[in-house]
Amino acid sequence: MPSQPSLKDVQSATIVDPKKAKSFSLKERDTRGEKLFESKKDAKASLEEDAIKINELQDTLFASKAGALLVILQGIDTSGKDGAAKEAFRFTSPLGVMVHAFGKPTEEELAHDYLWRLHKVAPRKGYITVFNRSQYEDVLVVKVRNLAPASMVEQRYAQINDFEKMLVENGTRVLKIMLHISKEEQGERLRERLEVPEKRWKFNPGDLEDRKLWDEYQAAYETVLQRCSTPHAPWHVVPADSRSRRDAITSRLIRAELEAMKLEYPDPGYRLEQYKID
Ligand code: ADP
């Protein structure tokens, strides 16, 4: 592979092929990302280039209102959902990008169907919205911790696929990214949270409870990838043990998705000769 893989190389290395998704195995996916970016230096250069390009593309999207982009970031605790979003959009105007983080549902959210809180903040035309956690928590944490009856969880895979299809058919592209880290790397990052004073605020004892359920979460993720990687909204598994490679790969995917929208600045609707500014 060249030092900077093409957008296509990154897409094909990370996608969960909808045609073969049923037999998808998460264990076979690497967590390091060295096949795509040999060195961290290459990854950083690629991220820089893509972040600049993402800003340009977002500007055209905002001007044209030709559609919307929803980026769904999922991943186990410490996989870097915040970091990946921050880096990909580091040069993008905050006016055109919204980020929504979904934690434990509130009482009001629980009184509605589980998609309610997501649908109402899905992007409007011209905007990019990032979901940091998403509807998938309702088949991940909810399944692993038995927060809803198994029969209800079972119905949700098809409901989520239908929901995403409806968004796509109405002009929103849906890019789904799972940040894939190893258990060893998660251990390192949790230790770092305890040891580095500036990171202590991120430590949540509940994360250790979830770590004990590592295998259950991996199985629940695998089921999501098998059942919800669809032609209209396929999943991508991004190796996330290295922060720089993770951010470079995520940014390549976001850039590729925006480029696929074939965005153009709109016709201004007037003739330049009409106006003279003195
Ligand atoms: P993060 O860990 O993403 O930085 P928080 O510390 O706020 O952010 O954690 C969010 C928590 O909310 C996670 O433990 C997650 O599993 C939980 N959560 C998200 N969605 C749901 C849901 N639908 N039902 C129950 N718990 C949820």
Side-chain angles (χ1 to χ4, degrees):
M1 264 289 158
S3 56
Q4 273 199 20
S6 70
L7 299 185
K8 270 221 159 77
D9 288 338
V10 172
Q11 276 182 318
S12 55
T14 56
I15 199 164
V16 177
D17 183 348
K19 287 199 214 92
K20 300 183 199 149
K22 270 196 191 130
S23 58
F24 176 79
S25 160
L26 189 53
K27 282 201 189 77
E28 285 166 20
R29 288 297 176 106
D30 123 81
T31 55
R32 303 173 64 87
E34 285 158 3
K35 279 189 221 120
L36 284 167
F37 289 99
E38 255 176 50
S39 74
K40 292 189 177 181
K41 198 165 150 255
D42 292 337
K44 284 181 184 159
S46 173
L47 167 64
E48 179 88 7
E49 182 192 315
D50 287 348
I52 291 170
K53 200 73 200 168
I54 288 169
N55 172 48
E56 290 168 15
L57 289 158
Q58 187 277 328
D59 195 62
T60 329
L61 174 67
F62 193 82
S64 67
K65 304 279 186 287
L69 174 63
L70 173 60
V71 180
I72 293 180
L73 293 177
Q74 280 289 159
I76 214 116
D77 292 317
T78 74
S79 59
K81 301 179 287 297
D82 294 321
K86 182 173 151 197
E87 293 302 327
F89 296 107
R90 66 156 98 146
F91 297 130
T92 309
S93 164
L95 289 176
V97 183
M98 317 277 173
V99 181
H100 291 280
F102 295 96
K104 273 176 113 169
T106 62
E107 209 177 308
E108 187 189 20
E109 287 167 349
L110 279 175
H112 289 84
D113 69 86
Y114 68 100
L115 292 173
W116 177 78
R117 67 174 180 162
L118 301 127
H119 195 187
K120 68 182 175 145
V121 291
R124 63 179 92 168
K125 290 193 170 63
Y127 287 79
I128 300 173
T129 293
V130 179
F131 282 179
N132 179 335
R133 302 185 188 270
S134 65
Q135 59 270 25
Y136 286 99
E137 291 295 321
D138 294 283
V139 287
L140 289 165
V141 61
V142 171
K143 182 182 193 183
V144 171
R145 294 198 168 272
N146 293 315
L147 302 178
S151 58
M152 279 191 93
V153 172
E154 177 57 30
Q155 293 173 336
R156 290 181 176 171
Y157 301 98
Q159 290 167 351
I160 290 173
N161 290 342
D162 287 344
F163 169 62
E164 291 172 0
K165 189 153 193 267
M166 184 276 296
L167 292 179
V168 172
E169 287 174 351
N170 285 278
T172 299
R173 290 183 77 97
V174 180
L175 172 62
K176 302 189 300 203
I177 294 174
M178 180 216 173
L179 301 178
H180 185 34
I181 61 166
S182 62
K183 195 169 181 191
E184 295 70 40
E185 181 63 26
Q186 190 196 46
E188 279 300 307
R189 291 190 188 176
L190 288 171
R191 261 188 294 281
E192 198 178 85
R193 284 187 180 181
L194 284 177
E195 284 162 13
V196 179
E198 293 77 27
K199 295 200 173 179
R200 278 191 193 136
W201 66 274
K202 287 195 195 176
F203 182 76
N204 172 359
D207 294 351
L208 297 183
E209 294 305 308
D210 276 341
R211 183 168 164 81
K212 288 191 193 130
L213 296 167
W214 181 269
D215 291 340
E216 287 81 351
Y217 272 106
Q218 295 294 304
Y221 265 104
E222 191 167 78
T223 305
V224 161
L225 298 165
Q226 289 170 345
R227 296 183 65 176
C228 298
S229 198
T230 55
H232 54 270
W235 270 102
H236 294 265
V237 177
V238 168
D241 279 358
S242 142
R243 290 181 174 96
S244 54
R245 293 183 179 90
R246 170 200 75 202
D247 297 342
I249 297 167
T250 301
S251 302
R252 291 246 108 171
L253 291 173
I254 294 172
R255 173 178 170 180
E257 203 65 32
L258 286 164
E259 287 190 352
M261 293 173 89
K262 307 223 175 309
L263 299 161
E264 279 177 26
Y265 282 104
D267 186 294
Y270 55 80
R271 279 180 295 116
L272 282 181
E273 317 77 86
Q274 274 177 283
Y275 301 100
K276 192 163 175 285
I277 297 171
D278 38 47

